[in-house]
């Protein structure tokens, strides 16, 4: 997997590159917008991390330009502006996800992985499965080992999001953004309580837990095998 | 007013003194001069000389203004143009004002002086003062009318002026009260007359400018700190995070690093809150408003917090009137409501009650969050809305002290009123929209 980082803050870029390399990615880095456009035209990457504020050509213009040229590489936009509505602008310009600086590396990594998998083709599945846990997206029902699980609408969405990213870490912020559509962090960690409720429903009566908490990062649902 | 009256009276008195008084003094001087002349005649030429002198003067006086009478010891007329010696009680200085009858029968108002001459003759010299009296009366009338008109005009003027002044003071007072209660960006209107009131207005407005400037300065400083420190903090966080990854924890440093990262996250969250508040306060996000169904918005936030309340064995009552919409920013309003619910649940003891209500108020939708916690004392209600304020009693509860100030900024952005009410026990925070 090859990632292009477009970021003018050299130290931040160095940490990001180091972290991604340690996680097994190949990383390219450019520090200005024009050079980024050349690299994007000349090479293929599996995903890109693009800072919004860049010398020369800014991040949103880069994304717009490459999308206009038919380039569908997933892009995660980074921004120092903590504005909710900038997020909307970023996504509208063709970005696939938007992350505000400062960010936790684990947050960026989780989002990048979600983007990379999405690029792998999201078939129109009607049933999601993780081990013996089943989620029927048409009838909106869940069951484990054939035993039905009673879920509230938000719990269904929460489980759906976790199962779509099965085997990967999902952060609290990702859940807030995608399940609740909120781009703020509540003062108290309400997500933890929702997760523990959900865990109670899907794992309580079974030996092998499926829903796990990843310390300092978020949650994951995975097949124990 | 009394000063004005006194000075008008003084002025009129002076006018009277220097006109009517002058005429009186001149009359008296003329009479005195004549008496001096006649006494001289008598002393030099004796009785015949005096009689001739009187007759000459009577003949010469064509206006008939001069009055003379010389009598013998029995008061029988010897010479002069008066019919007879008048009856009057003697006065100390010899001056008498009296109506006399002339020799030809004409009756005249007069002022005269009388005295006795050696040889037991009596002499009376006077002046017809009818004309002078008329003039004096005219002057007096004019002065009295002048006084009446002056006082009336002065009074009216004073009344109008006072009313004008009080009116303008009232405008200034009302405007400054309104400004103090809420919007510091407003200014007191000037009348443009360039007078002292406009100067006062300009000074008050300058003071407001200064206050706003200072407040902006303080805000700017905290914004700048928040903005500028995010970079280095971000790098520190990155460094710590990377050093945690994939290394053997040989020195037992992992928990220390994890706690440090958690602390940095807290600081970053506070900075983020400061910047969000500033953006909301700046009001620039009003352009991106869309119509929000408040019941849907409140239900979603309540749903987010419902498990948290349940975990603390708090009953969460949600009572929302459907179909109420306001133009607004969904993220910010949701965050404000989330902060209110967060606080309500945080401060309500186990087994208590927290509620979200949406009702149709007189002026627009009213969104309220109440709890059965300790409440906020009246003296702290304004302060809890300010940045970083935390009551002494809540020092030990986690939180940045920015939650309610964000709510206040969001309320202001949506032109909604924000009130904290006592619910004994507990607190009710009311957001009243104007739709």
């Amino acid at each position: 997997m090859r990632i292009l980082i477009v970021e003018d803050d050299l130290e931040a870029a160095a940490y990001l590159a180091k972290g991604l390399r340690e996680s097994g990615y190949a990383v390219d880095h450019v520090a200005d917008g024009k050079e980024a456009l050349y690299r994007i035209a000349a090479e293929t990457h599996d995903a890109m991390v693009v800072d919004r504020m860049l010398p020369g050509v800014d991040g949103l213009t880069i994304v717009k330009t490459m999308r206009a040229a038919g380039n569908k590489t997933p892009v995660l936009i980074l921004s120092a502006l903590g504005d909710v509505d900038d997020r909307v602008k970023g996504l509208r310009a063709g970005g696939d996800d938007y992350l505000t600086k400062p960010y936790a590396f684990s947050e960026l990594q989780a989002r990048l992985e979600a983007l990379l998998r999405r690029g792998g083709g999201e078939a129109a599945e009607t049933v999601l499965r993780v081990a013996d846990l089943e989620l029927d997206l048409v009838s909106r029902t869940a069951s484990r080992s054939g035993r039905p699980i009673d879920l509230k609408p938000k719990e269904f969405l929460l489980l759906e999001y976790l199962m779509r990213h099965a085997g990967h870490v999902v952060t609290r912020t990702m859940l807030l953004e995608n399940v609740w559509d909120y781009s703020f962090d509540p003062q108290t960690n309400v997500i933890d309580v929702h997760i523990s409720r959900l865990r109670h429903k899907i794992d309580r009566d079974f030996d092998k837990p499926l829903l796990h908490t990843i310390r300092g990062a978020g949650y994951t649902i995975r097949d124990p095998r | 007013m009394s000063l004005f009256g006194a000075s008008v009276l003084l002025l009129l008195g002076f006018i009277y003194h220097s006109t009517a008084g002058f005429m009186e003094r001149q009359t008296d001087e003329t009479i005195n001069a004549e008496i001096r002349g006649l006494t001289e005649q008598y002393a030099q030429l004796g009785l015949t000389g005096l009689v001739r002198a009187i007759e000459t003067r009577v003949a010469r006086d064509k206006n008939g203004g001069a009055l003379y009478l010389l009598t013998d010891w029995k008061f029988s007329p010897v010479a002069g143009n008066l019919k007879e010696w008048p009856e009057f009680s003697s006065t100390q200085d010899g001056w008498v004002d009296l109506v006399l009858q002339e020799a030809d029968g004409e009756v005249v108002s007069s002022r005269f002086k009388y005295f006795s001459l050696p040889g037991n003759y009596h002499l009376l010299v006077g002046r017809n003062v009818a004309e002078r009296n008329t003039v004096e009366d005219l002057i007096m009338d004019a002065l009295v009318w002048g006084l009446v008109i002056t006082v009336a005009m002065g009074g009216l003027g004073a009344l109008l002026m006072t009313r004008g002044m009080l009116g303008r003071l009232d405008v200034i007072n009302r405007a400054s009260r309104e400004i103090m209660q809420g919007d510091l960006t407003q200014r007191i209107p000037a009348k443009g007359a360039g007078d002292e009131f406009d100067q006062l207005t300009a000074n008050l407005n300058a003071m407001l400018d200064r206050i706003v400037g200072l407040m902006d300065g303080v805000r700017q400083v905290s914004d700048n700190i928040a903005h500028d420190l995010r970079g280095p903090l971000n790098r520190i966080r990155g460094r710590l995070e990377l050093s945690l990854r994939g290394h053997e924890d040989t020195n037992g440093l992992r928990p220390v690093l994890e706690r440090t990262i958690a602390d940095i996250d807290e600081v970053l969250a506070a900075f983020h809150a400061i910047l969000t508040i500033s953006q909301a306060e700046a009001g620039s996000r009003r352009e991106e408003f869309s119509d929000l169904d408040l019941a849907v918005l409140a239900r979603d936030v309540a749903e987010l917090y419902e498990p948290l309340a349940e975990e603390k064995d708090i009953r969460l009552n949600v009572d929302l009137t459907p179909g109420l919409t306001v133009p607004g920013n969904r993220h910010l309003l949701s965050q404000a409501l989330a902060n209110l619910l967060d606080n309500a649940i945080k401060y309500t003891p186990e087994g208590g009650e927290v509620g979200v209500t949406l009702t149709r108020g007189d002026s627009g939708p009213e969104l309220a969050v109440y709890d059965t916690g300790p409440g906020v004392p009246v003296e702290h209600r304004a302060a809890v809305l300010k940045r970083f304020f935390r009551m002494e009693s809540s020092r030990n509860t986690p939180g940045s002290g920015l939650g309610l100030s964000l709510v206040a900024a969001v309320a202001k952005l949506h032109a909604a009123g924000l009130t904290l009410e006592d619910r004994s026990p507990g607190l009710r925070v009311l957001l009243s929209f104007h739709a």
Side-chain angles (χ1 to χ4, degrees), chain A residues 51-110:
Chain A
D51 191 72
R52 243 193 93 163
M53 306 285 277
L54 289 168
V57 184
D58 74 274
L60 290 190
T61 310
I62 291 176
V63 178
K64 273 185 205 156
T65 311
M66 61 183 273
R67 290 291 184 250
N71 188 330
K72 291 193 176 66
T73 310
V75 176
L76 172 61
I77 298 174
L78 293 181
S79 168
L81 313 164
D83 198 314
V84 179
D85 302 296
D86 282 337
R87 183 183 151 77
V88 176
K89 277 180 212 153
L91 298 184
R92 224 176 261 157
D96 298 278
D97 200 354
Y98 193 94
L99 189 57
T100 307
K101 285 179 177 180
Y103 54 85
F105 178 78
S106 51
E107 180 79 43
L108 182 131
Q109 192 185 6

Side-chain angles (χ1 to χ4, degrees), chain A residues 9 11 15 19 23 80 83-85 102 104-106 109 154 180-183 186-188 194 197 215, chain B residues 230 234-235 237 239 241-242 245 258 268 279 285 288 301 303-304 306-307 310 330-331 339 342 403:
Chain A
D9 179 340
E11 195 186 344
Y15 279 111
S23 306
D83 198 314
V84 179
D85 302 296
F105 178 78
S106 51
Q109 192 185 6
K154 272 277 146 51
W180 279 271
D181 190 21
Y182 290 149
S183 54
Q187 298 173 22
T188 311
H194 281 274
R197 251 198 191 186
R215 262 183 84 188
Chain B
R230 285 201 305 180
N234 197 21
R235 287 197 286 272
R237 199 194 184 286
R239 240 170 272 154
E241 213 178 4
L242 278 184
R245 288 167 60 87
E258 278 173 355
L268 288 172
Q279 281 178 345
R285 292 164 81 163
E288 292 133 357
V301 179
E303 225 169 60
L304 181 66
E306 193 261 326
E310 194 187 274
R330 179 179 165 272
H331 289 282
N339 285 359
D342 209 293

Side-chain angles (χ1 to χ4, degrees), chain B residues 27 30-31 34 65-68 109-112 125-129:
Chain B
T27 309
T30 317
I31 293 171
E34 290 217 54
L67 302 171
Y68 308 96
S109 303
S110 68
R111 177 172 172 82
F112 60 83
V125 179
R127 268 283 184 281
N128 179 349
V129 292

Side-chain angles (χ1 to χ4, degrees), chain B residues 167-403:
Chain B
R168 296 194 60 189
L169 271 180
D170 196 43
V171 169
I172 294 173
N173 274 331
R174 206 155 352 119
S176 26
R177 217 168 19 241
E178 274 166 20
I179 291 168
M180 277 188 296
Q181 275 167 2
D183 191 358
L184 274 177
T185 57
Q186 282 189 31
R187 289 293 175 270
I188 304 165
K191 204 174 167 223
D195 55 9
E196 277 79 359
F197 284 103
D198 277 351
Q199 281 175 28
L200 175 65
T201 304
N203 285 341
L204 285 174
N205 284 341
M207 248 155 80
L208 283 170
D209 287 345
R210 186 112 178 82
I211 291 171
V212 169
L214 290 171
M215 279 172 54
D216 282 350
V218 171
R219 196 174 301 151
Q220 197 61 48
V221 166
S222 66
D223 285 0
N224 287 347
I225 291 173
H227 201 268
D228 295 350
L229 290 191
R230 285 201 305 180
L233 277 172
N234 197 21
R235 287 197 286 272
I236 293 171
R237 199 194 184 286
R239 240 170 272 154
L240 292 176
E241 213 178 4
L242 278 184
S243 57
L244 267 178
R245 288 167 60 87
H247 295 295
E248 286 289 310
D249 185 20
T250 43
N251 303 323
L253 279 174
R254 181 168 285 273
V256 178
L257 293 180
E258 278 173 355
R259 271 211 308 281
T260 310
I261 288 179
D263 285 349
I264 290 175
D265 282 346
E266 221 171 275
V267 176
L268 288 172
F271 284 178
H272 188 72
I274 290 173
L275 294 173
T276 309
I277 291 168
S278 292
Q279 281 178 345
E281 279 173 348
S284 57
R285 292 164 81 163
R286 213 167 279 158
E287 301 146 19
E288 292 133 357
F289 275 15
S290 57
D291 278 339
L292 302 175
D293 187 328
L294 283 176
V296 172
L297 184 140
R299 194 201 55 218
D300 285 352
V301 179
E303 225 169 60
L304 181 66
Y305 276 88
E306 193 261 326
L308 195 69
E310 194 187 274
E311 205 179 48
K312 236 184 128 182
D313 194 23
I314 289 170
R315 198 165 71 247
L316 181 63
N317 295 324
V318 183
D319 184 9
L320 308 167
T321 309
L324 299 177
T325 59
V326 292
N329 182 308
R330 179 179 165 272
H331 289 282
L332 286 175
L333 263 185
S334 298
Q335 188 170 4
L337 188 57
N339 285 359
L340 290 178
L341 271 175
D342 209 293
N343 281 345
I345 294 171
K346 199 188 296 174
Y347 291 111
T348 297
E350 288 198 7
E353 186 184 326
V354 166
V356 187
T357 62
L358 176 65
T359 50
R360 198 185 298 270
D362 291 336
S363 57
E366 295 190 337
L367 185 60
V369 173
Y370 64 85
D371 61 52
T372 53
V376 175
V378 180
E379 65 267 26
H380 287 155
R381 289 206 187 134
V384 290
L385 300 177
K386 296 202 173 78
R387 290 180 179 197
F388 299 117
F389 179 85
R390 309 198 65 201
M391 283 192 296
E392 210 48 54
S393 54
S394 62
R395 287 271 166 213
N396 298 322
T397 322
S400 58
L402 288 166

Side-chain angles (χ1 to χ4, degrees), chain B residues 130-152:
Chain B
E131 204 171 321
R132 196 201 73 188
N133 282 349
T134 316
V135 173
E136 268 182 23
D137 285 353
L138 279 175
I139 292 175
M140 195 61 192
D141 277 3
L143 290 182
V144 167
W145 278 110
L147 182 69
V148 169
I149 291 170
T150 309
V151 168

